[in-house]
Amino acid sequence: MAEPESTVINTDVKQKDPSEALVIAVTTRAIFNLEEEHKLYLEKGKEEYARHQQANQDKPLPPGTAFAFIQAAQYVNEKILESNPSEKDLFDILVLSNNSPESGVRIINSAKHYGISSALVFQQEVQAPSTPLRVVFDGDAVLFSNETDQVFQEQGLEGAVQYERAMEAVPMGEGPLKAFAMHLGKIRKRFSQENSPIRTYLVTARSGRDMGIRAIKTLRDWGLAIDEAFFMDGAPKGPILAQIQPHIFFDDGLHNIQGAQVMGVPSAWVPSC
């Protein structure tokens, strides 16, 4: 919509260090629910959309799919800064917008309404959530490499099981989200398990009996602590995700993403290499 522009909400974070921060880029349509506005733009055009946003610039936008995730990341930052006010290893949220300047005013006002200041810290009058940031990862082609998936495609389930048994002592390769998971794990180690503001989960289609050992050994080799691991043996992931209620779920399978969305779980598709 209109000319692309970006809005960085947390430019004033004194502790932020780009070389140490965990940068998360998120669009305004993910943080705020702009579906009605987007529909207006598609049906009546840019000018009517801009007039609507300007007329409603003081009306807060409702939260979107990623809003709870941003709140939870905010909570993690607050807990870290409670322990060390000069800490630099924080979440750094970059908000990207391709909206018009008229829409940008409403977005900024909405952020202020919900207590998101330029330092990405909730104002005192808005209570930050007290629940941990919950992140769920799929295994193969997400946390781990897709080597076993390739064997499965070529040789079927039995071939994949035999491959895993033969390679049981060899850690799997790194998947696209390994670095992100490791950074979360690094933050987690600052707290006891009971007091951690982060909880991570592995929900994989692997069978725990036949293919779980290598996954566990790989996590151990990486030094990556996972709070809970679920080996689904091919069963749908939606029901367990509904119980976990993560702020974000990463998977390379579109059918798993769709199943999660049916359960109302915010999800992100990780394209296979």
Side-chain angles (χ1 to χ4, degrees), residues 162-242:
Q162 292 178 359
Y163 176 81
E164 285 292 296
R165 288 174 178 169
M167 299 290 289
E168 190 174 284
V170 181
M172 284 182 277
E174 301 179 1
L177 288 187
K178 187 231 178 174
F180 176 59
M182 292 296 291
H183 205 123
L184 288 179
K186 179 182 176 183
I187 295 174
R188 232 179 127 268
K189 288 180 180 178
R190 301 167 184 267
F191 306 91
S192 66
Q193 186 171 5
E194 296 77 15
N195 297 322
S196 174
I198 297 174
R199 288 189 65 82
T200 52
Y201 305 79
L202 173 66
V203 178
T204 173
R206 285 171 170 256
S207 161
R209 181 185 68 252
D210 298 319
M211 303 174 71
I213 294 177
R214 191 179 181 206
I216 293 172
K217 286 186 175 181
T218 298
L219 295 174
R220 186 185 305 159
D221 184 77
W222 290 351
L224 178 58
I226 294 288
D227 289 290
E228 297 182 53
F230 297 87
F231 297 91
M232 304 303 294
D233 197 13
K237 298 180 180 181
I240 194 65
L241 292 173

Coordinates of all heavy atoms in Angstrom, one line a residue, residues 162-242:
Q162 N 15.9 -46.8 9.3 CA 17.2 -47.5 9.3 C 18.3 -46.5 9.2 O 19.4 -46.7 9.9 CB 17.2 -48.4 8.0 CG 16.3 -49.6 8.1 CD 16.3 -50.5 6.9 OE1 17.1 -50.2 5.9 NE2 15.5 -51.5 6.9
Y163 N 18.2 -45.4 8.5 CA 19.2 -44.4 8.4 C 19.4 -43.7 9.7 O 20.6 -43.5 10.2 CB 18.7 -43.3 7.4 CG 19.7 -42.1 7.3 CD1 20.8 -42.2 6.5 CD2 19.4 -40.9 7.9 CE1 21.7 -41.1 6.4 CE2 20.2 -39.8 7.9 CZ 21.4 -39.9 7.1 OH 22.2 -38.8 7.0
E164 N 18.3 -43.4 10.5 CA 18.5 -42.8 11.8 C 19.2 -43.7 12.8 O 20.0 -43.3 13.6 CB 17.1 -42.4 12.3 CG 16.5 -41.2 11.7 CD 17.3 -39.9 12.0 OE1 17.3 -39.5 13.2 OE2 17.9 -39.3 11.1
R165 N 18.8 -45.0 12.7 CA 19.5 -46.0 13.6 C 21.0 -46.1 13.3 O 21.8 -46.1 14.2 CB 18.9 -47.3 13.4 CG 17.5 -47.4 14.1 CD 16.8 -48.8 13.7 NE 15.5 -48.9 14.4 CZ 14.6 -49.8 14.1 NH1 14.9 -50.8 13.2 NH2 13.4 -49.8 14.7
A166 N 21.3 -46.0 12.0 CA 22.8 -46.1 11.6 C 23.5 -44.9 12.0 O 24.7 -44.9 12.3 CB 22.9 -46.4 10.1
M167 N 22.8 -43.7 12.0 CA 23.5 -42.4 12.3 C 23.2 -41.9 13.7 O 23.4 -40.8 14.0 CB 22.9 -41.4 11.3 CG 23.2 -41.7 9.9 SD 25.0 -41.5 9.5 CE 25.2 -39.7 9.6
E168 N 22.7 -42.8 14.6 CA 22.2 -42.4 15.9 C 23.3 -41.6 16.7 O 22.9 -40.7 17.4 CB 21.8 -43.6 16.7 CG 21.1 -43.3 18.0 CD 20.6 -44.6 18.6 OE1 19.6 -45.2 18.2 OE2 21.2 -45.1 19.6
A169 N 24.5 -42.0 16.6 CA 25.6 -41.3 17.3 C 26.1 -40.0 16.7 O 26.9 -39.3 17.2 CB 26.8 -42.3 17.6
V170 N 25.6 -39.7 15.5 CA 26.1 -38.6 14.7 C 25.1 -37.4 14.8 O 23.9 -37.6 14.4 CB 26.3 -38.9 13.2 CG1 26.9 -37.7 12.5 CG2 27.3 -40.1 13.1
P171 N 25.5 -36.3 15.4 CA 24.5 -35.2 15.5 C 24.0 -34.8 14.1 O 24.7 -34.8 13.1 CB 25.3 -34.0 16.1 CG 26.4 -34.7 16.8 CD 26.7 -36.0 16.0
M172 N 22.8 -34.4 14.0 CA 22.2 -33.9 12.8 C 22.8 -32.5 12.4 O 23.3 -31.8 13.3 CB 20.7 -33.8 12.9 CG 20.0 -35.2 12.8 SD 18.2 -35.0 12.9 CE 18.0 -34.9 14.7
G173 N 22.6 -32.2 11.1 CA 23.1 -30.9 10.7 C 22.2 -29.8 11.2 O 21.1 -30.0 11.7
E174 N 22.6 -28.5 11.0 CA 21.9 -27.4 11.5 C 20.7 -27.0 10.5 O 20.9 -27.0 9.3 CB 22.8 -26.2 11.6 CG 23.9 -26.4 12.6 CD 24.8 -25.2 12.7 OE1 24.6 -24.2 12.1 OE2 25.8 -25.3 13.5
G175 N 19.6 -26.7 11.1 CA 18.4 -26.3 10.3 C 18.4 -24.8 10.3 O 19.2 -24.1 11.0
P176 N 17.5 -24.2 9.5 CA 17.5 -22.7 9.4 C 17.2 -21.9 10.6 O 17.5 -20.8 10.8 CB 16.4 -22.5 8.3 CG 15.5 -23.7 8.3 CD 16.5 -24.8 8.7
L177 N 16.5 -22.6 11.6 CA 16.2 -21.8 12.9 C 17.0 -22.3 14.1 O 16.7 -21.9 15.2 CB 14.7 -22.0 13.2 CG 13.7 -21.3 12.3 CD1 12.3 -21.4 12.8 CD2 14.1 -19.8 12.1
K178 N 18.1 -23.0 13.8 CA 19.0 -23.4 14.9 C 19.6 -22.2 15.6 O 19.6 -22.1 16.8 CB 20.1 -24.3 14.4 CG 20.9 -24.9 15.5 CD 22.4 -24.7 15.3 CE 23.1 -25.3 16.5 NZ 24.6 -25.3 16.3
A179 N 20.0 -21.2 14.8 CA 20.7 -20.0 15.5 C 19.7 -19.3 16.3 O 20.0 -18.8 17.4 CB 21.2 -19.1 14.4
F180 N 18.4 -19.2 15.9 CA 17.4 -18.5 16.7 C 17.1 -19.2 18.0 O 17.1 -18.7 19.0 CB 16.1 -18.3 15.8 CG 15.0 -17.7 16.6 CD1 15.1 -16.5 17.1 CD2 13.8 -18.4 16.7 CE1 14.0 -15.9 17.8 CE2 12.7 -17.9 17.4 CZ 12.8 -16.6 17.9
A181 N 17.0 -20.6 17.9 CA 16.8 -21.4 19.0 C 17.9 -21.3 20.0 O 17.7 -21.3 21.2 CB 16.5 -22.8 18.6
M182 N 19.1 -21.3 19.5 CA 20.3 -21.2 20.4 C 20.4 -19.9 21.1 O 20.8 -19.8 22.3 CB 21.6 -21.4 19.5 CG 21.8 -22.8 19.0 SD 21.9 -24.1 20.2 CE 23.6 -23.7 20.9
H183 N 20.0 -18.8 20.4 CA 19.9 -17.5 21.1 C 18.9 -17.5 22.2 O 19.1 -16.9 23.3 CB 19.7 -16.4 20.0 CG 20.2 -15.1 20.4 ND1 21.1 -14.3 19.7 CD2 20.0 -14.3 21.6 CE1 21.4 -13.2 20.3 NE2 20.7 -13.2 21.4
L184 N 17.7 -18.1 21.9 CA 16.7 -18.2 23.0 C 17.3 -19.0 24.2 O 17.1 -18.6 25.3 CB 15.5 -18.8 22.4 CG 14.6 -18.1 21.5 CD1 13.4 -18.9 21.1 CD2 14.1 -16.8 22.1
G185 N 18.0 -20.1 23.8 CA 18.6 -20.9 24.9 C 19.6 -20.1 25.7 O 19.7 -20.3 26.9
K186 N 20.4 -19.3 25.0 CA 21.4 -18.4 25.7 C 20.7 -17.5 26.7 O 21.2 -17.3 27.9 CB 22.1 -17.6 24.7 CG 23.2 -16.7 25.3 CD 23.9 -15.9 24.2 CE 24.9 -14.9 24.7 NZ 25.5 -14.1 23.6
I187 N 19.6 -16.9 26.3 CA 18.8 -16.0 27.2 C 18.3 -16.9 28.4 O 18.3 -16.4 29.6 CB 17.7 -15.3 26.5 CG1 18.3 -14.3 25.4 CG2 16.8 -14.5 27.5 CD1 17.3 -13.7 24.5
R188 N 17.7 -18.0 28.1 CA 17.1 -18.9 29.1 C 18.0 -19.3 30.2 O 17.6 -19.5 31.3 CB 16.6 -20.2 28.3 CG 15.2 -20.5 28.6 CD 14.8 -21.7 27.8 NE 14.2 -22.7 28.7 CZ 14.8 -23.7 29.3 NH1 16.1 -23.8 29.2 NH2 14.2 -24.5 30.1
K189 N 19.3 -19.5 29.8 CA 20.3 -19.9 30.8 C 20.5 -18.9 31.9 O 21.1 -19.2 32.9 CB 21.6 -20.3 30.1 CG 21.5 -21.6 29.3 CD 22.8 -21.9 28.6 CE 22.7 -23.2 27.8 NZ 24.0 -23.5 27.1
R190 N 20.1 -17.7 31.8 CA 20.2 -16.7 32.8 C 19.3 -16.9 34.0 O 19.5 -16.3 35.0 CB 19.9 -15.3 32.2 CG 20.8 -14.9 31.0 CD 20.2 -13.7 30.4 NE 20.9 -13.3 29.2 CZ 21.9 -12.4 29.1 NH1 22.2 -11.8 30.2 NH2 22.5 -12.1 28.0
F191 N 18.3 -17.8 33.8 CA 17.3 -18.0 34.8 C 17.2 -19.4 35.2 O 17.6 -20.3 34.4 CB 15.9 -17.5 34.3 CG 15.9 -16.1 33.8 CD1 16.1 -15.8 32.4 CD2 15.6 -15.0 34.6 CE1 16.1 -14.5 31.9 CE2 15.5 -13.7 34.1 CZ 15.8 -13.5 32.8
S192 N 16.6 -19.7 36.3 CA 16.3 -21.1 36.7 C 15.1 -21.5 35.8 O 14.4 -20.7 35.3 CB 15.9 -21.2 38.2 OG 14.7 -20.5 38.4
Q193 N 14.9 -22.8 35.7 CA 13.8 -23.3 34.9 C 12.5 -22.8 35.4 O 11.6 -22.5 34.6 CB 13.8 -24.8 34.8 CG 12.8 -25.4 33.9 CD 13.0 -26.9 33.7 OE1 13.8 -27.5 34.3 NE2 12.2 -27.5 32.8
E194 N 12.3 -22.7 36.7 CA 11.1 -22.3 37.3 C 10.8 -20.8 37.0 O 9.6 -20.4 36.8 CB 11.0 -22.5 38.8 CG 11.1 -24.0 39.2 CD 12.5 -24.5 39.1 OE1 13.5 -23.7 39.0 OE2 12.7 -25.8 39.1
N195 N 11.8 -20.0 36.9 CA 11.7 -18.5 36.8 C 11.9 -18.0 35.4 O 11.9 -16.8 35.1 CB 12.6 -17.8 37.8 CG 12.2 -18.1 39.2 OD1 11.1 -18.2 39.5 ND2 13.2 -18.2 40.0
S196 N 12.2 -18.9 34.4 CA 12.5 -18.5 33.1 C 11.3 -17.8 32.4 O 10.2 -18.3 32.4 CB 13.0 -19.7 32.2 OG 13.2 -19.3 30.9
P197 N 11.5 -16.7 31.7 CA 10.5 -16.0 31.0 C 10.3 -16.6 29.6 O 9.6 -16.1 28.8 CB 10.9 -14.6 30.9 CG 12.4 -14.6 30.9 CD 12.8 -15.8 31.8
I198 N 11.1 -17.7 29.3 CA 11.0 -18.3 28.0 C 10.8 -19.8 28.2 O 11.4 -20.4 29.0 CB 12.3 -18.1 27.2 CG1 12.5 -16.6 26.9 CG2 12.3 -18.9 25.9 CD1 13.9 -16.3 26.3
R199 N 9.9 -20.4 27.4 CA 9.7 -21.8 27.3 C 9.8 -22.2 25.9 O 9.1 -21.6 25.0 CB 8.4 -22.3 28.0 CG 8.4 -22.1 29.5 CD 7.2 -22.8 30.1 NE 7.2 -24.2 29.9 CZ 7.8 -25.1 30.7 NH1 8.6 -24.7 31.7 NH2 7.7 -26.4 30.5
T200 N 10.6 -23.3 25.6 CA 10.7 -23.7 24.2 C 10.3 -25.2 24.1 O 10.4 -26.0 25.1 CB 12.2 -23.6 23.7 OG1 13.0 -24.2 24.7 CG2 12.6 -22.2 23.6
Y201 N 9.7 -25.5 22.9 CA 9.2 -26.9 22.7 C 9.6 -27.4 21.4 O 9.8 -26.7 20.4 CB 7.6 -26.8 22.7 CG 7.0 -26.2 24.0 CD1 7.0 -24.8 24.1 CD2 6.5 -27.0 25.0 CE1 6.4 -24.2 25.2 CE2 5.9 -26.4 26.1 CZ 5.8 -25.1 26.2 OH 5.3 -24.5 27.3
L202 N 9.8 -28.7 21.3 CA 10.0 -29.4 20.1 C 8.8 -30.3 19.8 O 8.4 -31.1 20.7 CB 11.2 -30.3 20.2 CG 11.5 -31.3 19.0 CD1 11.8 -30.5 17.7 CD2 12.6 -32.3 19.3
V203 N 8.1 -30.0 18.7 CA 6.9 -30.8 18.3 C 7.2 -31.4 16.9 O 7.2 -30.7 16.0 CB 5.6 -30.0 18.3 CG1 4.4 -30.9 17.9 CG2 5.3 -29.5 19.7
T204 N 7.6 -32.6 16.9 CA 8.1 -33.2 15.6 C 7.3 -34.5 15.2 O 6.7 -35.2 16.1 CB 9.6 -33.6 15.8 OG1 10.0 -34.3 14.6 CG2 9.8 -34.5 17.0
A205 N 7.2 -34.7 13.9 CA 6.4 -35.8 13.4 C 7.2 -37.1 13.7 O 6.7 -38.2 13.5 CB 6.2 -35.7 11.9
R206 N 8.4 -37.0 14.1 CA 9.3 -38.2 14.3 C 8.6 -39.1 15.4 O 7.9 -38.7 16.3 CB 10.7 -37.8 14.8 CG 11.6 -37.3 13.8 CD 12.8 -36.7 14.4 NE 13.8 -36.4 13.4 CZ 14.9 -37.1 13.1 NH1 15.2 -38.2 13.8 NH2 15.7 -36.8 12.1
S207 N 8.9 -40.4 15.3 CA 8.6 -41.4 16.3 C 9.6 -41.3 17.4 O 10.8 -41.4 17.1 CB 8.5 -42.8 15.7 OG 8.5 -43.8 16.7
G208 N 9.1 -41.2 18.6 CA 10.1 -41.2 19.7 C 10.8 -42.5 19.9 O 12.0 -42.6 20.2
R209 N 10.1 -43.6 19.5 CA 10.8 -45.0 19.7 C 11.9 -45.2 18.7 O 12.9 -45.7 19.0 CB 9.7 -46.0 19.5 CG 10.2 -47.5 19.7 CD 9.1 -48.5 19.4 NE 8.7 -48.5 18.0 CZ 7.6 -48.0 17.6 NH1 6.7 -47.5 18.4 NH2 7.3 -48.1 16.3
D210 N 11.6 -44.8 17.4 CA 12.5 -45.2 16.3 C 13.5 -44.0 15.9 O 14.6 -44.3 15.5 CB 11.7 -45.6 15.1 CG 10.9 -46.9 15.4 OD1 11.5 -47.8 16.1 OD2 9.8 -47.0 14.9
M211 N 13.0 -42.8 16.1 CA 13.8 -41.7 15.6 C 14.0 -40.6 16.6 O 14.4 -39.5 16.2 CB 13.1 -41.2 14.3 CG 12.9 -42.2 13.2 SD 11.9 -41.6 11.8 CE 13.1 -40.5 11.0
G212 N 13.6 -40.8 17.8 CA 13.7 -39.7 18.8 C 15.1 -39.6 19.4 O 15.5 -38.5 19.8
I213 N 15.8 -40.7 19.5 CA 17.1 -40.7 20.2 C 18.1 -39.7 19.6 O 18.7 -39.0 20.2 CB 17.7 -42.1 20.3 CG1 16.8 -43.0 21.2 CG2 19.1 -42.1 20.9 CD1 17.3 -44.4 21.2
R214 N 18.1 -39.8 18.2 CA 19.1 -38.9 17.5 C 18.8 -37.5 17.7 O 19.7 -36.6 17.9 CB 19.2 -39.3 16.1 CG 20.3 -38.6 15.4 CD 20.4 -39.0 13.9 NE 21.6 -38.3 13.3 CZ 21.6 -38.0 12.0 NH1 20.6 -38.3 11.2 NH2 22.7 -37.4 11.5
A215 N 17.5 -37.2 17.7 CA 17.1 -35.8 17.9 C 17.5 -35.3 19.3 O 18.0 -34.2 19.5 CB 15.6 -35.6 17.8
I216 N 17.3 -36.1 20.3 CA 17.6 -35.7 21.7 C 19.2 -35.6 21.8 O 19.7 -34.7 22.5 CB 17.1 -36.8 22.7 CG1 15.6 -36.7 22.7 CG2 17.7 -36.5 24.1 CD1 14.9 -37.8 23.5
K217 N 19.9 -36.5 21.2 CA 21.3 -36.5 21.3 C 21.9 -35.2 20.6 O 22.9 -34.6 21.0 CB 22.0 -37.7 20.7 CG 21.8 -39.0 21.6 CD 22.6 -40.1 21.0 CE 22.6 -41.3 22.0 NZ 23.3 -42.5 21.5
T218 N 21.2 -34.9 19.5 CA 21.7 -33.7 18.8 C 21.5 -32.4 19.6 O 22.4 -31.6 19.7 CB 20.9 -33.5 17.4 OG1 21.1 -34.7 16.6 CG2 21.3 -32.3 16.7
L219 N 20.3 -32.3 20.3 CA 20.1 -31.2 21.1 C 21.1 -31.1 22.3 O 21.6 -30.1 22.6 CB 18.7 -31.2 21.7 CG 17.5 -31.1 20.7 CD1 16.2 -31.4 21.4 CD2 17.5 -29.7 20.1
R220 N 21.4 -32.3 22.8 CA 22.4 -32.4 23.9 C 23.8 -32.0 23.4 O 24.5 -31.3 24.1 CB 22.4 -33.8 24.4 CG 23.3 -34.0 25.6 CD 23.4 -35.5 26.0 NE 22.1 -36.0 26.2 CZ 21.8 -37.3 26.1 NH1 22.7 -38.2 25.8 NH2 20.6 -37.8 26.4
D221 N 24.1 -32.4 22.2 CA 25.4 -32.0 21.6 C 25.5 -30.5 21.4 O 26.6 -29.9 21.5 CB 25.6 -32.8 20.2 CG 27.0 -32.5 19.6 OD1 28.0 -33.1 20.1 OD2 27.0 -31.7 18.7
W222 N 24.4 -29.9 21.0 CA 24.4 -28.5 20.8 C 24.4 -27.7 22.1 O 24.6 -26.5 22.1 CB 23.1 -28.1 20.0 CG 23.2 -28.5 18.5 CD1 24.2 -29.0 17.8 CD2 22.1 -28.4 17.6 NE1 23.8 -29.3 16.5 CE2 22.5 -28.9 16.4 CE3 20.7 -28.0 17.7 CZ2 21.7 -29.0 15.3 CZ3 19.9 -28.0 16.6 CH2 20.4 -28.5 15.4
G223 N 24.0 -28.4 23.2 CA 23.8 -27.7 24.4 C 22.6 -26.9 24.5 O 22.5 -25.9 25.2
L224 N 21.6 -27.3 23.7 CA 20.3 -26.6 23.6 C 19.3 -27.3 24.5 O 18.8 -28.4 24.2 CB 19.8 -26.5 22.2 CG 18.4 -25.9 21.9 CD1 18.5 -24.4 22.4 CD2 18.1 -25.9 20.4
A225 N 18.8 -26.6 25.5 CA 17.8 -27.1 26.4 C 16.4 -26.8 25.9 O 16.1 -25.7 25.6 CB 18.0 -26.6 27.8
I226 N 15.6 -27.9 25.8 CA 14.2 -27.7 25.3 C 13.3 -28.1 26.5 O 13.6 -29.1 27.2 CB 13.9 -28.6 24.1 CG1 14.7 -28.2 22.9 CG2 12.4 -28.7 23.8 CD1 14.2 -26.9 22.3
D227 N 12.3 -27.3 26.8 CA 11.5 -27.6 28.0 C 10.7 -28.8 27.8 O 10.6 -29.7 28.8 CB 10.6 -26.4 28.3 CG 11.3 -25.2 28.8 OD1 11.8 -25.2 30.0 OD2 11.5 -24.2 28.1
E228 N 10.1 -29.0 26.7 CA 9.3 -30.2 26.4 C 9.4 -30.6 25.0 O 9.5 -29.8 24.1 CB 7.8 -29.9 26.7 CG 7.5 -29.6 28.2 CD 6.0 -29.4 28.4 OE1 5.2 -30.3 28.1 OE2 5.7 -28.3 29.0
A229 N 9.5 -31.9 24.8 CA 9.6 -32.5 23.4 C 8.4 -33.5 23.2 O 8.2 -34.3 24.0 CB 10.9 -33.2 23.2
F230 N 7.8 -33.3 22.0 CA 6.7 -34.2 21.7 C 7.0 -34.9 20.4 O 7.2 -34.2 19.3 CB 5.4 -33.4 21.5 CG 5.0 -32.7 22.8 CD1 5.5 -31.5 23.1 CD2 4.1 -33.3 23.7 CE1 5.1 -30.8 24.3 CE2 3.7 -32.7 24.9 CZ 4.2 -31.4 25.2
F231 N 7.1 -36.2 20.4 CA 7.3 -37.0 19.2 C 6.0 -37.6 18.8 O 5.5 -38.6 19.3 CB 8.4 -38.1 19.5 CG 9.7 -37.6 19.9 CD1 10.0 -37.3 21.2 CD2 10.6 -37.3 18.9 CE1 11.3 -36.8 21.6 CE2 11.9 -36.7 19.3 CZ 12.2 -36.5 20.6
M232 N 5.4 -37.0 17.7 CA 4.0 -37.3 17.3 C 3.8 -38.5 16.5 O 2.7 -39.0 16.3 CB 3.5 -36.1 16.6 CG 3.6 -34.7 17.3 SD 2.8 -34.8 18.9 CE 1.1 -34.9 18.5
D233 N 4.9 -39.1 16.0 CA 4.8 -40.4 15.2 C 3.8 -40.2 14.0 O 3.0 -41.0 13.7 CB 4.4 -41.5 16.1 CG 4.7 -42.9 15.4 OD1 5.4 -42.9 14.4 OD2 4.1 -43.9 15.9
G234 N 3.8 -39.0 13.4 CA 3.0 -38.7 12.3 C 1.6 -38.2 12.6 O 0.8 -37.9 11.7
A235 N 1.2 -38.1 13.9 CA -0.1 -37.7 14.3 C -0.2 -36.2 14.0 O 0.8 -35.5 14.1 CB -0.4 -38.0 15.7
P236 N -1.4 -35.6 13.9 CA -1.6 -34.2 13.7 C -1.0 -33.4 14.9 O -1.2 -33.8 16.1 CB -3.1 -34.0 13.6 CG -3.6 -35.4 13.1 CD -2.7 -36.4 13.8
K237 N -0.5 -32.3 14.6 CA 0.2 -31.5 15.7 C -0.8 -30.5 16.3 O -0.6 -30.0 17.4 CB 1.4 -30.7 15.1 CG 2.5 -31.6 14.6 CD 3.6 -30.8 14.1 CE 4.7 -31.7 13.5 NZ 5.9 -30.9 13.0
G238 N -1.9 -30.2 15.6 CA -2.9 -29.2 16.1 C -3.3 -29.3 17.5 O -3.3 -28.4 18.3
P239 N -3.8 -30.5 17.9 CA -4.3 -30.7 19.3 C -3.2 -30.4 20.4 O -3.6 -29.7 21.4 CB -4.7 -32.2 19.3 CG -5.1 -32.5 17.9 CD -4.1 -31.7 17.1
I240 N -2.0 -30.8 20.2 CA -1.0 -30.6 21.2 C -0.6 -29.1 21.2 O -0.4 -28.5 22.3 CB 0.3 -31.4 21.0 CG1 1.1 -31.4 22.3 CG2 1.1 -31.0 19.8 CD1 0.5 -32.0 23.5
L241 N -0.6 -28.4 20.0 CA -0.4 -27.0 20.0 C -1.5 -26.2 20.7 O -1.2 -25.2 21.3 CB -0.2 -26.6 18.5 CG 1.0 -27.1 17.7 CD1 0.8 -26.7 16.3 CD2 2.3 -26.6 18.3
A242 N -2.7 -26.7 20.6 CA -3.8 -26.0 21.2 C -3.6 -26.1 22.8 O -4.0 -25.2 23.5 CB -5.1 -26.7 20.9

